[in-house]
């Protein structure tokens, strides 16, 4: 007799019964998703193909204990390249959901809301690409207030909310305002800014450099260029830019991903809007609008970002630039 | 090919298109059109004096566009017949070739297309395949990156008679590439393009790599693959030899290629599955092993020859295991990659098989066919009475029925395969199918529903798929309830609406009609004829007051025994859930309308007798 009831029998069945898990068994382990994925640049153990194999082999506990299952940010670079049409991020979501039901939690850092500072304005909820933030009633200092809350299972710690919050009530662990400032200042770079070659500050998203050679080139830039890494260009608070310019930096370059390739879905689009507003503001103030520039680097743009930075440095050298 | 052209019993008609095919097995009439080549075939001796003087140069199709050709040309050096042809679209009529041809006087611009009818006993289709255009796979950059080429282009570059005289060079800077990579399954095994495996790319890639490595032992060669498929004689040994020579095989499908704009070198990103890690490999040239795809004109050719295509787009064989060389139309045979992608040995084998299948027909004075063919009762056909109808002809997948107003429809028995679609569709019951007459089917119906019909699951099954599925359920011991009563006809196209009305009139509890999946239909489009009818019928039955759950349509293949058993179990369950009293009332309520629907059945020859006998024995 065949099985006739549709209740899940195994871990594999359970994942496949979850929305997004249906196509699991189509995978023939070609590895396209793995090599397309940028997560394994920072987390070499991350391997969606291997995770899918583990599910297919019903390795339930081992799958859940593997911290890498939480890393997929649903950027969907892999999905259009999968020859079997598997929507890998949906599948990873399905695995996460089953893990959550089993009582496991994401070990990744997440955004944190300072309940005393939060005014409940709801801007963060609208900015979050993952729907990880929502307002909830809570008693703070004896008063019932609506404040923002983070769903840890959804948050990918991109920091878009932290940059959006008008009261700086949200922080992302490794990329708090203080830590970003420290990265800029390290070695008293800003103090030296007023002398010597015009300084260029580059805010770079962590996901737009696919080529090893490009990543190497970023660490070999001249001393008057400072590269500050942020998870996403959407983490860049316009205040960062303004502060840097005020401190004597000649140019700020913000580098994000190509639209459609953003690691955090819409971070690059949000950053584009913010930088555009800054350009506009500078223009109205009679400043050089190009003091802040925004570039979007695509996954196929080998060598483009280092070249752009060097071009900018060369351009500054050949012209006299007014420094505020 | 030269031998074939010289054979006394073989006529080669090149540059000729098949326009129409009429007739049937052993007696085909084929209309062919020879296109004007503007060169007199009898006078041209292939000396080649004309080509060098031609001032026109356009991309040479045979050289994959890498080299030019003239407007007066031969397709390639070994062309048979070795006669020049003028490309009318490219020619500027300067007549330099005419001067060069001189006394031979072979060039003739007055030629027109020439049509002729040929008498043919059997037809072999050996139209080959096309190459997949990899530029649609954006991530591999073909067409954008100069040094990404196809395997076919490599064949030309590698050929001593090719455009580079065998000197290997890469397109961007004409330098010799020492570090090259091959990528397999480009457009194959990929649901975005072609789901099937093209079959022979693994072997030709290994061949190219081995050849390269033999000539340049220092070359650094990598082959990216998902699975290496070496299913024929000597293939696996050849694969081992390639590995032993130092050719690097990496299991992993590259996800993206990027180009260094300065050097033109390419960086391939792939997961080395064996290593479980992403690697980035620099290559000076990348060769894509593209899929073999059906020729662009497969559809047009198929409609001329009245043969169909499989879901993959190649021509469909009569039976995938037992008659792999025959097409569904008798007397038409398939060879080589027209039927599915094949390598040379397999193409030769199928070509030889097709030739011998065809020779059987040429050497026979008589040909035996299945006796289940359709037959027209001329006195009942309204076409004979001068009325316009012809429904039967439109439903026939084989073009076996000829309808002329004023004459009764005529079935060409040699073309009929006995699906019975015409029989079921004829609105005047003027056609019958031998061995599956209305009287025979109705007798069976009455016998099956003699006792407690309201407790029965009546299942109409097509011979080739769902009957096979039921059989498979039996041999595999998939249990299903004993309330099932099966009735076999040749095709779902034969399942006449009248049969279903009659079954419900007799009080059948639930009725299943089942047939092949559309792509599996044994009778090309028979399933579609049935499916269209059942779609309308489902609505009509509901309108008549029959509960929708009492009629079900399912497509079950011969391998789906489990599905057959499952469907019957579900239908039995459905029947048990209906309140018996309500069912009885529904049967009584709908009976008058059903009786009205089948009132003309007894007019069909033998049906009255069958009904009488059924009544007498009940």
């Amino acid at each position: 007799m065949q099985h006739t009831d549709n209740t899940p029998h195994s871990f594999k069945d359970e994942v496949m019964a979850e929305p997004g898990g249906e196509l699991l068994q189509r995978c023939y382990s070609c590895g396209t998703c793995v090599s397309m994925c940028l997560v394994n640049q920072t987390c070499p153990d991350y391997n969606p193909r291997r995770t899918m194999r583990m599910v297919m082999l019903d390795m339930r506990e081992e799958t859940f204990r593997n911290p890498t299952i939480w890393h997929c940010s649903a950027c969907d670079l892999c999905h259009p390249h999968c020859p079997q049409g598997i929507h890998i991020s949906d599948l990873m979501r399905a695995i996460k959901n089953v893990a959550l039901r089993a009582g496991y939690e994401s070990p990744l850092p997440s955004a944190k809301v300072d309940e005393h500072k939060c005014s409940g304005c709801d801007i963060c909820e609208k900015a979050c690409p993952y729907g990880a933030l929502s307002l909830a009633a809570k008693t703070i200092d004896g008063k019932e207030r609506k404040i923002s809350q983070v769903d840890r299972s959804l948050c990918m710690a991109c920091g878009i909310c932290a940059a959006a919050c008008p009261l700086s009530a949200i922080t992302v662990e490794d990329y708090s305002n203080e830590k970003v400032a420290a990265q800029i200042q390290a070695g008293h770079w800003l103090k030296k800014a007023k002398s010597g070659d015009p300084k260029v500050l580059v805010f770079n998203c962590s996901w737009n450099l696919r080529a090893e050679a490009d990543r190497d080139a970023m660490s070999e830039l001249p001393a008057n260029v400072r590269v500050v890494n942020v998870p996403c260009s959407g983490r860049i608070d316009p205040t960062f830019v303004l502060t840097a310019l005020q401190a004597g930096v000649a140019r700020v370059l913000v580098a994000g991903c190509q639209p459609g390739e953003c690691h955090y879905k819409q971070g690059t689009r949000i950053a584009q809007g913010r930088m555009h507003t800054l350009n506009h503001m500078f223009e109205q103030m009679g400043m050089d609008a190009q003091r802040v520039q925004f570039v979007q680097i695509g996954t196929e743009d080998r060598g483009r970002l280092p070249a752009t930075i060097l071009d900018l440095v060369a351009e500054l050298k050949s012209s006299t630039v007014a420094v505020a | 090919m030269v031998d074939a052209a010289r054979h006394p019993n073989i006529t080669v008609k090149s540059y000729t298109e098949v326009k129409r095919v009429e007739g049937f097995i052993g007696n085909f009439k084929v209309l062919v059109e020879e296109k004007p080549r503007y060169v007199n075939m009898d006078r041209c001796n292939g000396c080649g004096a004309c080509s060098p003087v031609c001032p026109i140069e356009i991309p040479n199709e045979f050289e994959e566009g890498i080299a030019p050709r003239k407007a007066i040309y031969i397709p390639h050096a070994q062309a048979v017949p070795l006669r020049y042809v003028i490309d009318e679209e490219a020619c500027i009529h300067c007549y330099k070739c005419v001067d060069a041809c001189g006394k031979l006087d072979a060039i003739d611009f007055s030629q027109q297309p020439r049509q002729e009818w040929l008498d043919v006993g059997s037809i072999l289709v050996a139209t080959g395949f096309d190459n997949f255009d990899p530029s649609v796979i954006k991530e591999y950059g073909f067409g954008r990156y100069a040094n990404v080429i196809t395997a076919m282009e490599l064949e030309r570059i590698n050929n001593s008679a090719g455009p580079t005289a065998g000197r290997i060079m890469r397109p961007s800077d004409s330098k010799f590439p020492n570090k090259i990579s091959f990528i397999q399954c480009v457009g194959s095994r990929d649901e975005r393009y072609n789901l099937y495996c093209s079959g022979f790319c693994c072997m030709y890639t290994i061949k190219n790599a081995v050849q390269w490595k033999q000539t340049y032992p220092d070359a650094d060669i990598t082959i990216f693959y998902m699975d290496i498929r070496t299913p024929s004689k000597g293939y696996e040994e050849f694969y081992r030899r390639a590995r032993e020579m130092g050719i690097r095989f990496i299991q992993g499908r590259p996800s993206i290629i990027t180009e260094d704009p300065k050097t033109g070198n390419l960086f391939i990103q792939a997961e080395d599955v064996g290593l479980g890690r992403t690697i980035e490999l620099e290559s000076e040239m990348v060769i894509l092993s593209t899929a073999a795809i059906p020729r662009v004109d497969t559809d047009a050719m198929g409609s001329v020859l009245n043969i169909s295509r499989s879901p993959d787009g190649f021509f469909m064989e009569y039976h995938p295991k037992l008659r792999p060389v025959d097409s569904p139309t008798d007397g038409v045979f398939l060879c080589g990659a027209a039927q599915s992608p094949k390598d040379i040995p397999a193409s030769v084998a199928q070509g030889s098989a097709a030739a011998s299948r065809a020779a059987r027909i040429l050497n026979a004075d008589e040909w035996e066919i299945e006796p289940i063919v359709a037959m027209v009762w001329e006195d009942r056909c309204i076409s004979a009475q001068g009325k316009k109808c012809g429904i039967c002809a439109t439903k026939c997948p084989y073009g076996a029925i000829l309808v002329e107003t004023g004459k009764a429809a005529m079935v060409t028995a040699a073309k009929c395969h006995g699906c019975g679609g015409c029989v079921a569709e004829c609105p005047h019951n003027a056609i019958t199918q031998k061995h599956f007459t209305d009287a025979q089917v109705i007798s069976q119906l009455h016998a099956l529903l003699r006792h407690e019909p309201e407790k029965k699951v009546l299942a109409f099954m097509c011979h080739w798929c769902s009957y096979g599925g039921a059989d498979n359920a039996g041999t595999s011991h998939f249990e299903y309830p004993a309330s099932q009563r099966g009735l076999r006809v040749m095709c779902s196209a034969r399942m006449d609406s009248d049969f279903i009305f009659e079954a419900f009139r007799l009080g059948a509890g639930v009725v299943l009609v089942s047939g092949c999946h559309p792509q599996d239909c044994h009778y090309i489009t028979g399933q579609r004829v049935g499916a269209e009818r059942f779609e309308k019928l489902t609505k009509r039955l509901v309108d008549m007051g029959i509960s929708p759950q009492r009629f079900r349509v399912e497509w079950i293949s011969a391998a789906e025994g489990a599905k057959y058993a499952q469907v019957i179990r579900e239908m039995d369950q459905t029947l048990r859930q209906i309140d018996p009293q309500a069912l009885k009332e529904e049967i009584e309520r709908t009976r008058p309308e059903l009786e009205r629907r089948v009132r003309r059945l007894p007019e069909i020859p033998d049906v009255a007798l069958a009904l009488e006998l059924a009544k007498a024995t009940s």
Side-chain angles (χ1 to χ4, degrees):
Chain A
M1 278 297 282
Q2 299 260 301
H3 287 304
T4 50
D5 56 330
N6 292 322
T7 49
H9 296 273
S10 60
F11 177 44
K12 182 193 77 187
D13 290 346
E14 204 178 336
V15 170
M16 286 181 66
E18 198 69 19
E22 302 88 350
L23 302 182
L24 171 74
Q25 293 184 122
R26 276 200 191 167
C27 177
Y28 54 23
S29 267
C30 69
T32 303
C33 52
V34 180
S35 62
M36 201 58 206
C37 186
L38 291 159
V39 172
N40 52 29
Q41 281 183 1
T42 50
C43 174
D45 286 340
Y46 180 73
N47 188 316
R49 179 188 61 80
R50 202 186 299 139
T51 307
M52 285 191 262
R53 298 276 338 145
M54 285 165 77
V55 176
M56 277 190 253
L57 294 169
D58 283 325
M59 296 160 73
R60 188 187 173 90
E61 294 308 316
E62 266 167 276
T63 307
F64 291 160
R65 277 202 302 272
N66 181 356
T68 66
I69 61 166
W70 303 93
H71 280 273
C72 174
S73 69
C75 69
D76 287 341
L77 274 184
C78 51
H79 163 58
H81 294 200
C82 174
Q84 291 299 313
I86 303 172
H87 204 296
I88 292 121
S89 69
D90 281 359
L91 219 148
M92 297 310 282
R93 185 74 251 169
I95 297 170
K96 287 183 206 176
N97 286 344
V98 176
L100 286 169
R101 276 206 301 272
Y104 288 82
E105 259 186 32
S106 165
L108 302 186
S110 72
K112 285 197 175 62
V113 180
D114 183 333
E115 296 178 342
H116 298 283
K117 279 191 190 169
C118 177
S119 70
C121 71
D122 206 19
I123 287 175
C124 54
E125 186 181 340
K126 293 192 181 83
C128 179
Y130 297 100
L133 288 147
S134 55
L135 287 184
K138 217 170 181 187
T139 318
I140 307 287
D141 302 332
K143 271 188 251 168
E144 174 140 321
R145 284 205 288 130
K146 277 201 163 177
I147 58 158
S148 197
Q149 280 201 323
V150 182
D151 183 341
R152 277 187 60 97
S153 69
L154 296 174
C155 178
M156 294 307 301
C158 59
I160 295 173
C161 54
C165 180
L167 296 170
S168 301
I170 309 183
T171 51
V172 185
E173 243 167 66
D174 294 332
Y175 297 95
S176 63
N177 290 355
E178 294 73 23
K179 283 189 178 160
V180 173
Q183 269 199 67
I184 301 172
Q185 303 242 28
H188 305 290
W189 189 72
L190 273 183
K191 278 190 188 146
K192 291 181 198 157
K194 286 184 179 154
S195 58
D197 288 335
K199 301 283 186 285
V200 176
L201 176 62
V202 181
F203 287 112
N204 189 29
C205 110
S206 308
W207 306 103
N208 58 6
L209 297 177
R210 175 171 289 275
E212 247 173 67
D214 286 1
R215 294 200 294 276
D216 293 344
M218 291 297 281
S219 55
E220 290 157 11
L221 292 167
N224 59 328
V225 179
R226 160 95 357 143
V227 180
V228 172
N229 288 316
V230 285
C232 175
S233 54
R235 172 66 190 97
I236 306 304
D237 189 330
T239 334
F240 295 175
V241 178
L242 296 174
T243 318
L245 292 177
Q246 214 171 16
V249 172
R251 285 281 192 276
V252 176
L253 182 74
V254 178
C257 304
Q258 190 107 298
E261 292 178 358
C262 180
H263 195 68
Y264 301 105
K265 296 184 177 195
Q266 50 185 2
T268 190
R269 195 177 57 75
I270 290 175
Q272 189 180 22
R274 287 178 187 152
M275 297 312 135
H276 187 74
T277 313
L278 276 183
N279 289 146
H280 216 67
M281 215 167 81
F282 291 171
E283 221 162 67
Q284 286 180 340
M285 288 160 67
M287 276 170 65
D288 179 1
Q290 290 306 305
R291 298 270 316 261
V292 59
Q293 293 179 14
F294 184 56
V295 286
Q296 294 178 318
I297 307 294
T299 192
E300 287 174 20
D301 293 342
R302 173 173 284 273
R304 189 174 148 212
L305 184 60
T308 310
I309 296 170
L310 292 176
D311 285 352
L312 189 62
V313 171
E315 185 197 314
L316 285 173
K317 220 172 190 175
S318 63
S319 63
T320 345
V321 188
V323 175
Chain B
M1 197 63 199
V2 176
D3 281 350
R6 284 184 186 151
H7 194 281
N9 285 351
I10 298 176
T11 312
V12 175
K13 287 192 172 290
S14 64
Y15 215 33
T16 301
E17 199 178 315
V18 176
K19 288 286 191 190
R20 255 170 80 186
V21 174
E22 287 176 5
F24 47 87
I25 180 168
N27 297 285
F28 289 111
K29 284 199 173 303
V30 179
L31 178 66
V32 294
E33 182 180 286
E34 189 181 347
K35 295 175 190 171
R37 48 174 88 219
Y38 305 110
V39 172
N40 188 313
M41 287 279 276
D42 300 327
R43 289 194 190 152
C44 176
N45 62 7
C47 72
C50 50
S51 199
V53 300
C54 177
I56 303 295
E57 285 196 340
I58 58 168
N60 186 335
E61 299 86 352
F62 181 74
E63 301 289 0
E64 295 291 305
I66 300 169
R69 68 159 169 82
K70 298 299 182 75
I72 184 162
Y73 69 106
I74 48 168
H76 53 90
Q78 291 88 26
V80 173
L82 191 65
R83 298 286 182 269
Y84 278 76
V85 58
I86 293 175
D87 179 348
E88 174 65 9
E89 276 176 34
C91 176
I92 55 164
H93 294 262
C94 68
Y95 304 123
K96 284 197 169 146
C97 51
V98 179
D99 297 340
C101 192
K103 265 194 221 155
L104 276 176
D105 194 21
I107 291 159
D108 174 8
F109 279 96
S110 69
Q111 280 186 1
Q112 294 293 326
R114 217 162 48 83
Q115 292 198 340
E116 85 183 283
W117 282 97
L118 305 173
D119 287 325
V120 170
S122 56
I123 298 171
L124 271 67
V125 187
T127 47
F129 66 97
D130 276 346
N131 277 310
F132 174 75
D133 171 14
S135 62
V136 298
I137 306 184
K138 295 273 180 283
E139 55 266 33
Y140 289 166
F142 179 80
R144 275 184 300 144
Y145 305 148
N147 295 326
V148 177
I149 65 168
T150 64
M152 205 54 161
E153 287 174 339
L154 177 69
E155 292 282 354
R156 296 319 305 154
I157 296 173
N158 204 5
N159 192 302
S160 56
T164 60
R167 211 165 65 80
I168 294 179
M169 50 177 78
R170 64 176 197 168
S172 73
D173 49 16
S174 304
K175 281 189 190 142
F176 173 77
N178 201 47
K179 200 168 157 54
I180 59 164
S181 295
F182 292 88
I183 298 179
Q184 298 305 102
C185 303
V186 177
S188 305
R189 305 184 64 200
D190 189 325
E191 72 136 32
R192 298 169 298 170
Y193 312 107
N194 304 292
L195 209 43
Y196 55 83
C197 166
S198 294
F200 54 84
C201 335
C202 284
M203 293 318 290
Y204 78 59
T205 300
I206 298 176
K207 182 268 292 178
N208 283 339
V210 166
Q211 219 171 39
W212 191 302
K213 193 79 180 169
Q214 271 168 347
T215 322
Y216 311 101
D218 294 337
D220 183 342
I221 304 173
T222 307
I223 298 177
F224 287 95
Y225 69 98
M226 293 200 276
D227 299 288
I228 291 284
R229 297 190 164 170
T230 57
S232 293
K233 196 173 183 176
Y235 288 10
E236 185 60 29
E237 294 88 324
F238 189 59
Y239 173 32
R240 182 164 94 160
R241 200 175 115 204
R243 295 198 306 277
E244 286 173 349
M245 285 174 85
I247 294 162
R248 192 186 299 119
F249 287 81
I250 296 181
Q251 186 169 21
R253 184 180 171 280
S255 61
I256 192 162
I257 298 176
T258 51
E259 185 194 41
D260 183 339
K262 286 193 208 102
T263 60
N265 285 357
L266 302 150
F267 293 81
I268 304 166
Q269 286 221 331
E271 186 201 9
D272 184 326
V273 172
L275 201 62
R277 212 180 294 159
T278 300
I279 55 166
E280 188 182 72
L281 190 100
E282 185 173 357
S283 283
E284 287 161 6
M285 187 159 85
V286 171
I287 298 111
L288 307 177
S289 301
T290 50
I293 57 169
R295 277 184 55 91
V296 278
D297 56 3
T298 305
D299 246 346
M301 201 67 234
S303 65
V304 168
L305 293 167
N306 200 22
I307 56 179
S308 53
R309 302 170 76 172
S310 318
D312 58 13
F314 291 96
F315 285 128
M316 187 164 79
E317 60 292 321
Y318 191 95
H319 189 286
K321 289 177 204 148
L322 304 176
R323 291 175 73 176
V325 178
D326 302 9
S327 81
T329 297
D330 283 345
V332 179
F333 302 95
L334 309 172
C335 0
Q339 182 250 345
S340 76
K342 276 184 198 67
D343 63 0
I344 296 166
S347 299
V348 171
Q350 201 185 14
S352 308
S356 73
R357 297 285 287 174
R360 284 163 71 229
I361 299 165
L362 299 188
N363 289 309
D365 295 328
E366 284 182 351
W367 199 253
E368 221 170 73
I369 55 167
E370 291 285 320
I372 51 172
V373 293
M375 194 194 82
V376 179
W377 283 301
E378 293 177 6
D379 52 327
R380 295 182 63 84
C381 179
I382 62 156
S383 182
Q385 298 152 20
K387 288 177 189 154
K388 260 198 147 91
C389 179
I391 291 173
C392 50
T394 64
K395 301 296 175 187
C396 178
Y398 301 95
I401 307 180
L402 187 71
V403 180
E404 280 173 53
T405 311
K407 283 189 199 160
M410 212 180 74
V411 177
T412 308
K415 284 173 117 177
C416 175
H417 284 61
C419 66
C422 55
V423 188
E425 288 291 326
C426 178
H428 298 275
N429 295 319
I431 313 181
T432 189
Q433 181 186 5
K434 291 181 181 169
H435 305 281
F436 287 91
T437 64
D438 288 332
Q440 285 171 319
V441 176
I442 285 168
S443 297
Q444 288 183 60
L445 256 183
H446 279 257
L448 293 173
L449 298 172
R450 186 168 299 155
H451 304 294
E452 299 190 312
E454 69 283 355
K455 289 185 183 165
K456 299 288 185 301
V457 178
L458 180 70
F460 286 92
M461 296 177 280
C462 91
H463 173 81
W464 301 99
C465 293
S466 46
Y467 187 80
D471 197 36
N472 180 283
T475 52
S476 311
H477 298 267
F478 298 140
E479 285 177 26
Y480 56 82
S483 59
Q484 184 259 18
R485 292 291 179 274
L487 201 163
R488 179 185 70 100
V489 288
M490 292 311 287
C491 178
S492 43
R494 179 67 186 96
M495 298 168 196
D496 201 322
S497 305
D498 290 344
F499 298 160
I500 291 141
F501 292 139
E502 180 69 359
F504 280 120
R505 188 185 72 84
L506 292 171
V510 286
V511 175
L512 167 73
V513 290
S514 59
C516 303
H517 291 280
Q519 67 273 20
D520 297 341
C521 182
H522 192 76
Y523 299 106
I524 314 178
T525 53
Q527 186 270 355
R528 205 160 68 204
V529 172
E532 281 168 11
R533 181 187 317 135
F534 304 146
E535 209 180 304
K536 285 183 215 144
L537 187 64
T538 308
K539 287 179 202 144
R540 192 166 300 157
L541 290 171
V542 173
D543 290 345
M544 287 162 69
I546 290 171
S547 310
Q549 67 267 36
R550 287 180 64 205
F551 180 65
R552 185 161 167 182
V553 184
E554 280 295 342
W555 310 120
I556 300 167
S557 84
E560 292 176 324
K563 181 174 175 186
Y564 186 81
Q566 175 74 13
V567 167
I568 298 296
R569 270 199 303 273
E570 284 171 13
M571 293 189 72
D572 183 67
Q573 194 64 28
T574 309
L575 187 56
R576 281 164 198 277
Q577 279 162 1
I578 303 174
D579 172 40
Q581 193 54 38
L583 180 64
K584 212 171 173 188
E585 279 168 21
E586 183 176 305
I587 291 168
E588 290 308 321
R589 193 173 62 244
T590 51
R591 184 163 286 148
E593 172 64 17
L594 288 161
E595 260 166 10
R596 204 181 64 75
R597 294 271 177 184
V598 297
R599 71 188 187 281
R600 299 188 60 179
L601 275 183
E603 294 171 11
I604 305 169
D606 301 335
V607 171
L609 179 65
L611 291 171
E612 217 170 278
L613 285 171
K615 213 171 192 179
T617 51
S618 67

